Amino acid sequence: MDIEALRRDTPGCANRVHLNNAGAGLLSRQTLAAVVGQLELEAAIGGYEAAEQQRERIDSTYRAIATLLGGRADEVALFDGATRAWQAAFSALRFRPGDRILTGRAEYASNVLAYLQAAARTGAEVVVVPDDASGQLDTAALARLIDGRTRLVGVSHVPTSGGLVNPVAEIGRITRAAGVPFLLDATQSVGQLPVDVAAIGCDLLAGTGRKFLRGPRGTGFLWVDTAALEYLDPAVAELRSAVRDGGRGFAWQPGAQRFETWERSPANILGLNAAVRQALALGPDRIGRRCAALGARLREQLDALPGVSTHDRGRERCAIVTARVAGLAAAEVAAALARKGVNVSVTAPADTRFDAGQRDAHPLVRLSPHYFSTEAELDLAVDAVAGLL
Ligand SMILES: *Cc1c(COP(=O)(O)O)cnc(C)c1O
């Protein structure tokens, strides 16, 4: 990877040490040009006309995402965020009293809220699978808990609040064997790690554009295994998702398009397209290796400082690093780093509800480098933390 060239193509690298890619990755010039170019075209010739002119390129976004995930283009639906994508899949499942939803401690807060809403509405039960000693989802416990009442297994690949990488392929083997749908929240993993739906064995996958994929804000996508369309009942029948059938009824569009709604942002979609193509060109394996290496280096450097501890769990860890500085609130550390031009964020106990309840660890400072981060930038951030001690 030509890191210097990639940084030259990333305007934000000139201004900040950006260690907040788990919040939003920095746009490349190519992605920026794709977004702005479409907005300029809309201003110049009209919004509908601009979309028509760019139709092939907009359509190719589905192929690009499918290639990235190892699925098919007609299994991809586009949204304005991962939450929307995830909700489109989750709200298409029908629960009855006594049905069980199995999830993990690292599940994203919005997903948990949706489980609780479904439980309140339908009488389904939410069961939290414990972690193993390393802190990842305990797959032996999952295998014990999964039974005839289980209607869904919903898991976050990488939580928002730490460096954990859950053992998703093992989870997929268990859900496949049990014939239970597996909804994977891959929001923090796509763009950071190689994510292959066939290798994982999930049935549904939601992701966002703006984090490690470096796409524009306000973009997200859902991958739906074609076989899952049989039991999914989309929540919204409208102009893009469905058609009148000539009689009194309607029919869903074929494929995952049945989860979309008509109005959307071609500019953002074209930006997402550019970002996905860039990830494909660099290679998810190479990106994954560099991200993991930078995360491990940063964790080691922080742990070496007296009074600083990192709190990332699991057997496999990624580029998200969470730390506590003795005697200082996480928000104070983040503010001090911001004054030195270092972008980080702070984990909120509410972000991963079950996790926070168990560990009592948050809030923590969250540092999330990306492949375009340099070792010198990590040193600068670590020195800034050391300066606070
Ligand atoms: C950020 C995040 C989401 C939500 O993504 P949006 O694009 O903001 O809707 C979901 N799950 C995880 C694990 C996240 O980190």
Side-chain angles (χ1 to χ4, degrees):
M1 248 186 233
D2 185 346
I3 302 298
E4 277 316 309
L6 290 163
R7 291 176 66 78
R8 276 195 301 277
D9 279 343
T10 304
C13 286
N15 310 318
R16 298 292 178 97
V17 173
H18 188 67
L19 304 181
N20 192 17
N21 293 284
L26 290 177
L27 298 192
S28 69
R29 278 186 209 289
Q30 294 82 346
T31 297
L32 182 62
V35 176
V36 173
Q38 185 67 12
L39 289 176
E40 283 175 343
L41 191 61
E42 288 182 1
I45 67 168
Y48 283 39
E49 294 73 13
E52 182 54 28
Q53 191 166 311
Q54 292 294 316
R55 183 147 56 105
E56 266 178 41
R57 197 148 187 90
I58 292 168
D59 285 347
S60 76
T61 309
Y62 295 85
R63 283 199 300 284
I65 292 171
T67 303
L68 186 67
L69 302 177
R72 289 196 337 227
D74 68 345
E75 295 172 329
V76 173
L78 298 178
F79 296 89
D80 56 8
T83 304
R84 294 281 212 182
W86 188 96
Q87 285 278 357
F90 181 69
S91 65
L93 291 160
R94 295 288 166 261
F95 298 99
R96 288 183 309 244
D99 283 350
R100 286 182 147 193
I101 298 167
L102 265 49
T103 187
R105 291 209 172 275
E107 184 70 328
Y108 190 63
S110 295
N111 305 353
V112 171
L113 290 167
Y115 297 147
L116 297 175
Q117 181 188 30
R121 275 180 177 168
T122 68
E125 193 189 342
V126 184
V127 178
V128 182
V129 180
D131 292 339
D132 70 12
S134 77
Q136 66 179 22
L137 184 135
D138 184 341
T139 51
L142 173 66
R144 277 197 305 278
L145 284 166
I146 207 165
D147 63 17
R149 294 170 293 179
T150 310
R151 189 73 189 83
L152 177 71
V153 172
V155 170
S156 292
H157 194 176
V158 169
T160 213
S161 56
L164 164 73
V165 181
N166 260 322
V168 287
E170 182 56 28
I171 295 169
R173 268 194 293 281
I174 295 166
T175 56
R176 281 274 143 110
V180 170
F182 175 13
L183 169 53
L184 181 66
D185 181 341
T187 303
Q188 291 291 1
S189 54
V190 175
Q192 177 184 186
L193 324 167
V195 174
D196 182 303
V197 290
I200 292 170
C202 57
D203 303 278
L204 306 154
L205 178 149
T208 198
R210 77 168 187 280
K211 295 178 179 175
F212 284 91
L213 262 179
R214 307 178 60 195
R217 295 198 64 174
T219 54
F221 51 86
L222 176 69
W223 171 83
V224 182
D225 186 24
T226 299
L229 295 176
E230 274 183 32
Y231 57 79
L232 293 173
D233 181 14
V236 184
E238 55 77 83
L239 274 176
R240 187 162 167 83
S241 63
V243 285
R244 293 292 298 272
D245 69 359
R248 284 163 182 269
F250 73 96
W252 294 114
Q253 292 287 359
Q257 188 185 319
R258 68 185 63 183
F259 296 100
E260 296 185 336
T261 47
W262 194 83
E263 172 57 1
R264 54 211 195 135
S265 164
N268 282 349
I269 292 172
L270 290 169
L272 177 64
N273 187 329
V276 171
R277 282 174 199 284
Q278 187 160 25
L280 286 170
L282 289 170
D285 288 320
R286 271 202 304 174
I287 293 172
R289 279 195 299 276
R290 178 153 173 91
C291 282
L294 289 173
R297 185 185 196 272
L298 182 54
R299 220 169 270 126
E300 218 169 273
Q301 286 178 295
L302 289 169
D303 276 327
L305 296 175
V308 179
S309 53
T310 64
H311 295 267
D312 306 297
R313 311 181 80 209
R315 243 164 265 165
E316 185 189 342
R317 294 170 202 187
C318 64
I320 300 178
V321 178
T322 51
R324 170 178 297 124
V325 179
L328 285 175
E332 292 177 277
V333 178
L337 288 171
R339 286 193 291 275
K340 305 235 174 214
V342 181
N343 293 349
V344 300
S345 67
V346 172
T347 64
D351 280 351
T352 41
R353 244 176 84 106
F354 299 135
D355 180 45
Q358 158 115 332
R359 292 167 53 201
D360 205 19
H362 306 278
L364 296 165
V365 185
R366 183 183 70 180
L367 307 93
S368 47
H370 209 332
Y371 59 76
F372 56 76
S373 305
T374 63
E375 285 76 0
E377 286 184 307
L378 301 190
D379 295 347
L380 191 149
V382 171
D383 286 346
V385 173
L388 299 172
L389 296 169

